[in-house]
Amino acid sequence: MIRLQQRSLYRFLADPFGRSTRALELDGNYIRTTRRGEVVSISLQSLATAPFIRKGMLGTALTISSSEYNDVTLKGAGHRDAHVFSKRVKDAWNRFNLAALEKEAARLDRVLAEVMSLAAPSRYPAACQIAPLLEQARALNESLLSKLNAEVIGRETVARIAPVRKFAGDPRTLRANGIAAFVTAELDRWKDFFDTIETKPLTPEQRLSVVVDEDATLVLAGAGSGKTSVITAKAAYLIKAGIRQPKEVLLLAFAKNAAEEMSKRVEARSGVPIVARTFNAIAYDIIGIVEGSKPALADHATDDMAFTNLIKQILKDLVDRLSDVSMAIIRWFAHFLVEPNSEWDFKTKHDFYTHMEAQDLRTLQGEKVKSYEELQIANWLYENGVEYEYEPVYEHKIPETGRRDYQPDFRLTESGIYIEHFGVRHQKMADGSERLVTAPFVDRDEYLAGMEWKRQVHAEYKTTLIETYSYERQERRLLEGLAEKLAPHVNLKPRPVETIYDRIVELNQVDEFSKLLGTFLRKFKSGGYSLQDCETKSDRMKLGKRARAFLDVFAPVFEEYQKRLEGRIDFEDMILRAAHYAETGRYDSPFRHILVDEFQDISQSRARLVKALKAQHPDVRVFAVGDDWQSIFRFAGSDIHLMRHFGQEFGGSFDGETDVHRSVDLGRTFRSIDQIAFAARTFVLRNPAQIQKLIVPAGTATEPAIRIVTVSKGEDKAKLAEVLAAMSAVVAQVVKPATVLLLGRYRFVEPDLRDLRRRFPRLKISFKTIHASKGLEADHVILLNADSGRTGFPSEIVDDPLLSMVSPEEEAFQNAEERRVMYVAMTRARHTLTILASKARPSSFVTELKKDPVYGIAALPGMELEEHGCGECGGRLLGVRGKDGRIWYRCEHVQHCGNLLPACQSCGAALPRRTDGTAEVQCGCGATYPTCPECEDGWLIERSGSYGRFLGCVRYPTCVGKAKISSGDRSAITKPRRQNRA
């Protein structure tokens, strides 16, 4: 034992109260000192460095650095004494570490061997495999290796322990190098296997996805990229390489037929007997193992139509039985079935009209109205038994005013009272006064003048006018105010809720709402949500009164649904119960590799089951194959969030990183040629949330591969036959018949296949909904009814914002899922894609494809009349042929805008348009006309009136623009002038 203590002089001058360390003793493997009356023992093992000496005016200070305590410093020691003590401590420290090194030799050898093996690993160095090694290396480095004195242990020992220390300091680089080395060697080692496992050799990307074996591996398998080949090869590789036993591999699919096909394919191609199972099957098995028997399955669990019909029946029974619930249900259909937006939520007429048409604002009486507020009024009248007409012609003939016949919004048939709803709100001015204002795109002065004119008409003809206003809805008193205003004039006779509900059924509104309820219910259960969760999220997302009205219906529907299970379970219950048993350890999983097909379709509950199985053993791997571009089963509970955040959800941990995973992009498509493959990729990636993927097409197109054919009303069958006839003519020149897949967003668009097959025997024609077409392909694909509307494409129902209450992540991009549905439709085609779309109401997707040249859509000459912008609302003026054979140009927003223009009088086909900087409109044929002084689109033609001939707008009586005929220019005006052409 050796002791070092302060000199008396220092103690007297600098530390008279004895607050600093006064003595240090080296006793065996410990250094002891007394601090504040407490004896402190510092082990040599905890020393980070040799003692540090610093000479000062009042003596020498010696500092001991330790991982166990803060630095201990003795000040005022004799310089020589401090050096002697320091050397003795250093020698003891070195002896201790050399002894410790000898003691840990076996452990060091084991860790060193494993670290060195990373240079050429025999197994993929997954995070779960290497993390324990890193933990051991760092513990060894911290407790021993980092404290060794290089001079004492010698260069040879320093070099020997260096790989362990390097790995402890930079494990990611060594693991990455190990992965690269393994993959290169493994691809070469298994080359023959990859060449022969399928009928065609696997691509480089497919081979890579098989040998990669991270804690979580995501294979991005685009349309036609051979995902089934990958999952087949992966299962066979795991067994043949001796990585797993068949019983340790869980192969999961979503559909029973897909699981059966996969099992057969794995065994046929590799001789490995692995049984693929559906999520439901493995969950059912887990329940049976834990409980000793399997509970009965609900009748509707395997039948989506039966499930929807059950929801419909529950709604009907609730209406019949429970008054409060029945009122909530009727209130939903009458006032919240569609998004409650008004013209105040839009900046342009075109945007407002487009939204209104997509919403299909149909009243309980059955007519379409022009605004949400009119819908509220009409449905209130219907609910309360007040008979009415919508937009009737006013009962009195008004003298010539230049206006259209006056049509008030509503006329109550029994009392003769008229109702006008005015789109005005209050605006507070700087001086504190208020004024009436209109929507952003409405001319305020013109609108207010129209209001006053209507009041004068009713006053003159002594008819009763009731007025309602947009500001009343803003103040939440629209319907209450209407009731008060009508009270003196009508007797309300509220219709029974059963009668109203029967009417709702007649309007086919229950079916789609039942599907929405069913989708919500499945996601609600699988995500483990509560009603309070939904209300909280609704408030946060500002979903408003519509969400509250929906939950008022959903809550009793869900309660009744749970009762009707009567001890049976549905698939959501099944998956969640199995996940719970795995999480709590009541089920002991034998699985070490979990392979999941069609991963983009996974739901929250299924993901929970996978995570529970993965958590049972530290070395379990998840291998997922899917394509987020084809995630189209939200209605069945799928949650794209899980694939987009795959690493966070399923990844392992290594070196402080918690989402360790690997992604492999298969890239190549064996199906679609370049024009289709690239257009589909561009289309789906307009949503920036979709995962970026490379595409290598199956071939190069020699002629336009994507065509859009516009269809006039009533021409659907004829246009389809025209397209098929053209295909049949081409096929007649080759030996092999061509396959043609007709696709529809909904089943109701299916044509008469028997007739089509009879007429076009050279074509193998089939029909599928787009959802049912997943996994299929055809030489030629024809997409039917690509129109706008609530049941159009994109469907306005599928992406209902209400579903965000039971989704962990809202999809902010408009029509996000429907865009993926369109991608699926496009990528069923090998050689050509033809899209049939309404000329008057084309899908927004069709408009996008036509307008953006990046898609390379073929413009077929002579197939359609030219389109022009509507000067009244910003929509499109579409060329249509009237019953008399004449061509007219009509605004696409027929119900709202009504802008209608005749074709040029000279050529009878084209539409004259304004020429910048002139007072004329000019037709493509060369004819010119004077512009109308009142409207954007019209031009003046000669007309006759009570005061003789004059120039009037072609849009009369919608527009009353006019001008006098100059006597010197009479002939030039009565006949359109033609420009001289060189």
Side-chain angles (χ1 to χ4, degrees), residues 615-907:
Q616 287 227 345
H617 309 284
D619 64 337
V620 177
R621 322 291 168 83
V622 173
F623 181 83
V625 182
D627 181 9
D628 70 306
W629 296 359
Q630 297 186 74
S631 177
I632 62 172
F633 288 100
R634 188 181 188 185
F635 65 87
S638 69
D639 194 336
I640 196 171
H641 165 91
L642 295 163
M643 188 167 181
R644 287 181 178 161
H645 302 282
F646 179 77
Q648 296 174 22
E649 297 287 344
F650 301 95
S653 58
F654 183 76
D655 189 31
E657 187 180 359
T658 57
D659 60 349
V660 177
H661 70 288
R662 180 79 178 265
S663 294
V664 180
D665 185 354
L666 293 187
R668 301 168 194 263
T669 174
F670 298 97
R671 180 182 302 155
S672 303
I673 58 174
D674 55 352
Q675 288 185 14
I676 295 173
F678 291 145
R681 179 183 187 274
T682 300
F683 183 83
V684 77
L685 285 180
R686 286 291 165 88
N687 180 355
Q690 301 292 165
I691 301 171
Q692 290 278 342
K693 289 190 278 289
L694 297 174
I695 293 294
V696 179
T700 303
T702 56
E703 59 184 33
I706 305 179
R707 299 177 177 88
I708 293 175
V709 177
T710 56
V711 182
S712 298
K713 189 174 183 180
E715 289 185 350
D716 303 70
K717 292 182 180 179
K719 282 292 184 182
L720 175 58
E722 186 180 323
V723 171
L724 290 171
M727 287 181 179
S728 185
V730 174
V731 173
Q733 303 172 21
V734 298
V735 177
K736 185 181 178 182
T739 55
V740 178
L741 178 59
L742 308 180
L743 291 178
R745 177 60 184 82
Y746 293 97
R747 180 158 291 282
F748 68 75
V749 306
E750 180 177 358
D752 185 343
L753 290 180
R754 181 178 298 179
D755 178 60
L756 293 176
R757 288 165 180 162
R758 178 185 57 79
R759 294 172 62 186
F760 306 104
R762 295 291 301 167
L763 303 176
K764 296 178 67 175
I765 304 172
S766 60
F767 171 86
K768 292 284 185 182
T769 63
I770 302 174
H771 284 82
S773 75
K774 278 208 54 208
L776 302 180
E777 57 185 51
D779 296 325
H780 308 284
V781 167
I782 301 174
L783 178 59
L784 307 174
N785 289 54
D787 306 336
S788 61
R790 189 162 175 78
T791 56
F793 187 28
S795 167
E796 297 292 332
I797 300 165
V798 170
D799 282 323
D800 196 303
L802 294 172
L803 293 174
S804 59
M805 287 190 285
V806 284
S807 299
E809 183 179 87
E810 181 189 7
E811 287 206 80
F813 198 79
Q814 187 177 18
N815 293 321
E817 176 145 328
E818 288 292 283
R819 184 169 287 266
R820 295 191 291 271
V821 175
M822 183 67 171
Y823 169 81
V824 169
M826 296 173 75
T827 53
R828 299 312 93 194
R830 295 192 193 100
H831 304 303
T832 71
L833 168 67
T834 304
I835 303 173
L836 301 185
S838 166
K839 182 180 293 185
R841 298 181 297 102
S843 158
S844 59
F845 290 164
V846 169
T847 302
E848 177 184 329
L849 290 170
K850 286 176 66 176
K851 283 186 176 181
D852 196 332
V854 72
Y855 293 115
I857 305 301
L860 302 182
M863 293 289 287
E864 56 186 284
L865 296 168
E866 191 176 3
E867 295 178 3
H868 298 279
C870 174
E872 292 298 303
C873 73
R876 297 172 304 136
L877 292 172
L878 306 173
V880 294
R881 196 174 296 276
K883 292 181 180 179
D884 58 358
R886 295 175 62 195
I887 291 176
W888 294 79
Y889 284 83
R890 183 181 66 194
C891 180
E892 64 178 310
H893 303 299
V894 177
Q895 183 187 11
H896 298 273
C897 179
N899 192 4
L900 183 67
L901 294 163
C904 171
Q905 289 177 311
S906 179
C907 67

Side-chain angles (χ1 to χ4, degrees), residues 251-275:
L251 188 52
L252 289 171
F254 282 84
K256 185 177 181 180
N257 58 349
E260 292 172 350
E261 175 63 28
M262 200 175 298
S263 297
K264 293 177 183 176
R265 188 162 175 171
V266 170
E267 187 163 7
R269 298 291 167 85
S270 65
V272 177
I274 298 179
V275 178

Side-chain angles (χ1 to χ4, degrees), residues 75 183 258 283 294 310 323 379 403 420 431 454 465 632 641 746 772 793 799 844 927 968:
K75 299 178 180 178
V183 168
K294 297 178 180 179
L310 174 61
S323 58
N379 285 346
R403 296 175 179 265
E420 281 282 11
D431 61 0
K454 291 174 183 178
L465 174 66
I632 62 172
H641 165 91
Y746 293 97
F793 187 28
D799 282 323
S844 59

Side-chain angles (χ1 to χ4, degrees), residues 98-112:
L98 285 172
L101 184 60
E102 181 64 28
K103 183 179 179 181
E104 294 285 4
R107 179 183 172 198
L108 174 61
D109 289 344
R110 186 177 65 254
V111 172
L112 179 60

Side-chain angles (χ1 to χ4, degrees), residues 20 145 164 190 202 402 410 413 587 646-647 814:
S20 67
L145 303 186
V164 177
W190 289 85
L202 299 189
F410 301 92
T413 53
Y587 171 71
F646 179 77
Q814 187 177 18

